[in-house]
Amino acid sequence: MLDRREFSDSVQGLSERLTQVNTLLENLLNWSIVQLGGTSVRTEAVRTVSVADQEIGLLKHAAESKSVRLYNALPADLFLQVDPYHLSIILRNLLQNALKFTPPGGEVVVSSEWRNGKVHLLVSDTGIGIPPEILP
């Protein structure tokens, strides 16, 4: 039997998970529409830290259950001209892969760096990586 606090915590957790599932399904639907040629790419100035925060939030429970820390190290003032749906899908895919191969107690970090006059978004982790002989 759950007391009021446990029940409230359970309902809150369920509500968060349902919101996350809804967001994932919505993003999957948008991605499939793009793949079928039903919509065009629409770029806009996107605050990347917000997109990364959203995607990290969707994977928060999976990371916690594995004792992996997800960290957003993007600068708050970094705006990129991108399609926000595509950026979300790409970041989520990279984060899921990093989380999958990061051992318990590890961490996954979203960051950025300037190279040759362009911003590169990075998803790094403390996972096992790809063996050098397979990398090429």
Side-chain angles (χ1 to χ4, degrees), residues 95 98 102 107-111 122-127:
L95 287 166
T102 299
E107 78 174 11
V108 176
V109 179
V110 180
S111 61
L122 310 170
V123 175
S124 55
D125 61 68
T126 57

Side-chain angles (χ1 to χ4, degrees), residues 82-131:
V82 297
D83 182 305
Y85 292 115
H86 286 119
L87 179 59
S88 290
I89 290 167
I90 292 165
L91 270 178
R92 186 176 323 114
N93 184 280
L94 293 171
L95 287 166
Q96 286 173 327
N97 285 338
L99 186 57
K100 182 178 179 180
F101 295 105
T102 299
E107 78 174 11
V108 176
V109 179
V110 180
S111 61
S112 64
E113 68 181 26
W114 283 92
R115 278 191 244 152
N116 301 323
K118 294 182 181 180
V119 174
H120 291 251
L121 295 181
L122 310 170
V123 175
S124 55
D125 61 68
T126 57
I128 59 173
I130 302 172

Side-chain angles (χ1 to χ4, degrees), residues 58-71:
L58 290 171
L59 298 170
K60 177 177 69 171
H61 292 291
E64 287 173 353
S65 70
K66 198 173 174 183
S67 298
V68 172
R69 182 172 169 244
L70 291 176
Y71 182 67

Side-chain angles (χ1 to χ4, degrees), residues 19-111:
T19 299
Q20 292 169 350
V21 167
N22 183 52
T23 301
L24 287 170
L25 288 174
E26 183 179 307
N27 288 339
L28 180 59
L29 176 62
N30 287 327
W31 175 82
S32 64
I33 289 170
V34 169
Q35 293 302 306
L36 295 172
T39 187
S40 59
V41 174
R42 296 186 187 150
T43 64
E44 60 186 76
V46 173
R47 187 170 177 247
T48 55
V49 70
S50 298
V51 175
D53 279 342
Q54 177 183 335
E55 297 310 318
I56 286 171
L58 290 171
L59 298 170
K60 177 177 69 171
H61 292 291
E64 287 173 353
S65 70
K66 198 173 174 183
S67 298
V68 172
R69 182 172 169 244
L70 291 176
Y71 182 67
N72 186 354
L74 291 172
D77 61 348
L78 178 62
F79 285 80
L80 298 177
Q81 190 72 24
V82 297
D83 182 305
Y85 292 115
H86 286 119
L87 179 59
S88 290
I89 290 167
I90 292 165
L91 270 178
R92 186 176 323 114
N93 184 280
L94 293 171
L95 287 166
Q96 286 173 327
N97 285 338
L99 186 57
K100 182 178 179 180
F101 295 105
T102 299
E107 78 174 11
V108 176
V109 179
V110 180
S111 61

